[in-house]
Amino acid sequence: MILDFGVRNLRVVFDSPELNSPPVYSSGDVVSGKVLLELTGETKVHSLKLHAEGFARVHWTESRSAGASSAYTQNYSDEVEYLNHREVLLQADNGDVTVLQSGKHEFPFSFQLPEETLVTSFEGKYGSIRYWVKVKLHRPWATVRKVKKEFTVIEPIDINTPALLAPQAGTKDKMARVWYRNCGQVSVTAKIDRKGYTPGEVIPVFAEFDNGSSRCVEPKAFITQTQTFIARGTMKQKHSVVVTLRGDRVGPRCRETWHGRAIKIPPVGPSVLQCRIIKVAYTLKVCVNVPGTSKLCLDLPLVMGTIPLHPFGSRTSSVSSQCSLNLEWLRMGIPEQPEPPPDYSAIVSDEEAEQNMAPPSAEDDFTGVLQRPYFAYIQEFRFRPPPVYSEVDPNPQFSSIRRRCMTC
């Protein structure tokens, strides 16, 4: 263990809008914070430099056999750079040293992420996408003191687009065989309202399982995540099941229908679609387990987004299977603040108001309501002003009676 008597602490702190919550950035955002340096005594410093980096990296090893007695190991690796920013926080102009007194020192920093689309942070088995800030403290006749802190980048994926709001459907069938003998055909048809979802949403699955075989089959649906790593023209994949939905067994020559069976998406990371060497994709698989033969599966692609469905989009997605989706009306400008309604005096003149507010004559009372058209009495109230709004109940006795009746 090497003791550093001059420097007690060196760390990086990011500015966060919420206390005790790490910040999350996207392309074009400004990353800001400060470097905290705590010294135990007077210290000479050559420079204090900051280096922000972002890389997507993949690496894995495969063992290959070249014959009966020989084998060799092949390494695959690749990387893509997304961020490279350097900044000098402390350095003398003439290249001389700077003397810092004992105590705590703060050095603020700020830089902007590239405007072009970055890639969401990701940690996988054979690769990762990481962003970090590294700070180096250079002193004369002393080892370089380093500190590194990562930050998260999430690129927004808006599911309110025509491509992700389009319904997904398909049909697949298979001949069930037992010992080279056909025992009937099994088919599955499935449909979901759209392609794009966000974690926490519920996917209603509409499916029909037609079991034409002589054996019972078991339907189920599950969401899978596929991580794809690419290096030197070779691909490595890792599949994992996110959530599973099981159905009731379907007997021979029977049919089972799912009328929107719900499968809830657990907290998972968003899809990674823009990286050249790392892909993260999701799939809804609707399958049928047939005893004695391989599984019949229908794949419906999914995209895990970060921007949830807008209130207007929920209605369009529910009817998207019945009519073509037209989103032109969503691009129409909606005023931020509605215009107030016109005054009553601007519509009805004072003479008309006084005339309509006058009490009815004896011959125009309501005793003969059945002898005259009902529309005539409606016309009398057409230009009457609306009642004045008040927080006080105008009929307290009636309200108390109504409350007593409700409790009975």
Side-chain angles (χ1 to χ4, degrees), residues 22-40:
V24 178
Y25 305 97
S26 59
S27 57
D29 289 348
V30 175
V31 180
S32 61
K34 51 184 175 291
V35 177
L36 303 180
L37 175 62
E38 186 176 359
L39 304 175
T40 58

Side-chain angles (χ1 to χ4, degrees), residues 113-310:
L113 296 177
E115 292 289 346
E116 59 267 16
T117 301
L118 298 177
V119 181
T120 299
S121 301
F122 169 76
E123 291 291 331
K125 184 176 181 180
Y126 303 106
S128 63
I129 303 172
R130 298 175 182 172
Y131 301 85
W132 64 85
V133 169
K134 184 185 294 183
V135 176
K136 293 182 179 181
L137 177 64
H138 297 266
R139 295 165 296 165
W141 304 102
T143 58
V144 179
R145 188 69 179 265
K146 303 177 183 179
V147 63
K148 177 181 176 182
K149 189 168 185 179
E150 297 186 5
F151 60 92
T152 303
V153 172
I154 295 182
E155 278 302 294
I157 300 178
D158 190 357
I159 68 172
N160 299 276
T161 59
L164 299 185
L165 288 177
Q168 305 296 306
T171 302
K172 201 170 185 180
D173 53 52
K174 183 177 184 179
M175 184 63 68
R177 298 175 181 271
V178 179
W179 295 103
Y180 303 100
R181 180 176 60 87
N182 295 339
C183 61
Q185 181 173 282
V186 179
S187 64
V188 56
T189 302
K191 180 185 66 174
I192 55 177
D193 289 342
R194 46 191 162 95
K195 184 178 181 180
Y197 288 89
T198 53
E201 281 193 281
V202 174
I203 304 177
V205 181
F206 299 88
E208 184 178 272
F209 306 92
D210 191 358
N211 181 18
S213 68
S214 58
R215 293 194 170 194
C216 292
V217 299
E218 181 183 359
K220 67 177 181 177
F222 52 93
I223 299 176
T224 62
Q225 182 197 67
T226 302
Q227 302 175 8
T228 304
F229 307 91
I230 304 171
R232 297 169 50 188
T234 304
M235 183 173 61
K236 187 80 169 179
Q237 287 188 330
K238 180 181 181 298
H239 303 275
S240 58
V241 177
V242 175
V243 63
T244 304
L245 171 66
R246 297 185 180 275
D248 300 329
R249 293 172 64 89
V250 183
R253 310 294 189 266
C254 293
R255 181 177 298 174
E256 174 72 14
T257 303
W258 286 1
H259 299 282
R261 291 285 296 271
I263 179 170
K264 187 175 182 180
I265 305 173
V268 293
S271 299
V272 178
L273 308 174
Q274 305 296 330
C275 184
R276 178 175 59 85
I277 61 176
I278 296 178
K279 307 286 184 183
V280 179
Y282 293 88
T283 305
L284 174 64
K285 292 180 176 288
V286 183
C287 303
V288 176
N289 291 330
V290 183
T293 184
S294 59
K295 185 184 301 182
L296 171 63
C297 280
L298 175 64
D299 295 347
L300 301 178
L302 295 175
V303 173
M304 292 298 168
T306 59
I307 301 178
L309 188 69
H310 294 165

Side-chain angles (χ1 to χ4, degrees), residues 45-47 88 90-99:
V45 177
H46 273 308
S47 63
V88 178
L90 176 65
Q91 187 175 19
D93 296 335
N94 54 2
D96 202 357
V97 296
T98 302
V99 179

